[in-house]
Amino acid sequence: MSYTVGILGAGKIGEALAMGIMARGLVPAGQIILSVRSERHRAELEARSGIRAVVDNAIVAAEADTLILAVKPKSVSDLIAEVAPLLGPGKLLISTAAGVSLELLESCAPEGTPVIRTMPNMAVGIGEGMTVLSPGRFVKSEQLEWATSLFRAVGRAIVLEEEHMDAVTGLSGSGPAYVYIIIESLSDGGVKLGLPRDVATELAAQTVLGAARNVLLTGEHPAKLKDQVTTPAGVTIDGILELEAGRLRVTLINAVVKAAERSRQLLHRLH
Ligand SMILES: NC(=O)c1ccc[n+]([C@@H]2O[C@H](COP(=O)([O-])OP(=O)(O)OC[C@H]3O[C@@H](n4cnc5c(N)ncnc54)[C@H](OP(=O)(O)O)[C@@H]3O)[C@@H](O)[C@H]2O)c1
């Protein structure tokens, strides 16, 4: 299955997605088309990405079979209304907007339009994204497979019931920001002990990457992997004691919960 992919609102996430999909060779550059609002942004985007960009959403909606909606949540309904005459059962509409429900998306589009709500994260731009997809009422299995394969080309992708989307938003959607803070803080620790900043940041980032890969590759519980590197009466347990005293676990759990709550509030404001 192959489609022309249109990205309506190619800002940070839309451009990252387009670059990732193109780089992985799933869809050639000539079968991707982007839209933005301003001519200046359009020209910069086209020069930077090598992908055709326009300021007319109708062109994208007419030419593409798969439409990825990547504007801010508050702009979603207006944008769908703008291209609605071009939508229908033959156009797959994929939304990346945080907190915008399938119900709202389907209500803005003509009856029968297949709609998929997604929550990707910024790492799609480097092929290491985490995306969760929830299909609407009119999505056929091959359309869901195609959409999943698009996001698998730029990282991991799984399908979940929509009820989990707020949790997903608080965890993998916002999560890169939390992990950047963790990396920066680990790096600060190295700098405090005299390491040059660039060395400390490389050590911190590769340590996070290695630990994350180990969790995904082995499928082991993180606690078991933690125990494997924590020698009795050794060095690491002293570091862990400080993390516990600083309530790192509770802080991270609360960060996910708070961000999920905010995602839920956003949904209520949009409805
Ligand atoms: N950033 C993330 O990490 C992330 C993660 C998951 C999901 N999301 C979701 O992805 C969506 C986009 O987020 P973002 O961070 O990529 O925002 P962004 O950088 O502001 O991108 C939005 C883009 O949409 C364009 N746009 C706005 N109105 C338009 C219209 N009527 N027609 C065509 N283009 C229009 C803007 O173009 P101009 O620049 O020309 O105005 C802008 O480039 C949001 O709904 C967000 O919830 C973001």
Side-chain angles (χ1 to χ4, degrees), residues 77-134:
S77 47
D78 285 349
L79 183 48
I80 298 180
E82 186 187 332
V83 297
L86 298 156
L87 302 178
K91 299 267 180 192
L92 178 61
L93 192 61
I94 302 172
S95 167
T96 65
V100 180
S101 68
L102 282 169
E103 190 188 351
L104 182 76
L105 294 164
E106 285 179 348
S107 71
C108 297
E111 178 75 6
T113 304
V115 176
I116 299 175
R117 178 178 171 189
T118 70
M119 180 44 59
N121 65 20
M122 277 303 287
V124 292
I126 54 158
E128 291 289 352
M130 182 69 240
T131 304
V132 172
L133 301 91
S134 298

Side-chain angles (χ1 to χ4, degrees), residues 8-14 35-38 41 57 70-73 75-76 79 82 96-98 119-122 173:
L8 296 163
K12 289 188 284 297
I13 201 82
S35 75
V36 285
R37 244 179 334 194
S38 68
H41 186 179
N57 293 316
V71 292
K72 293 288 188 201
S75 307
V76 166
L79 183 48
E82 186 187 332
T96 65
M119 180 44 59
N121 65 20
M122 277 303 287

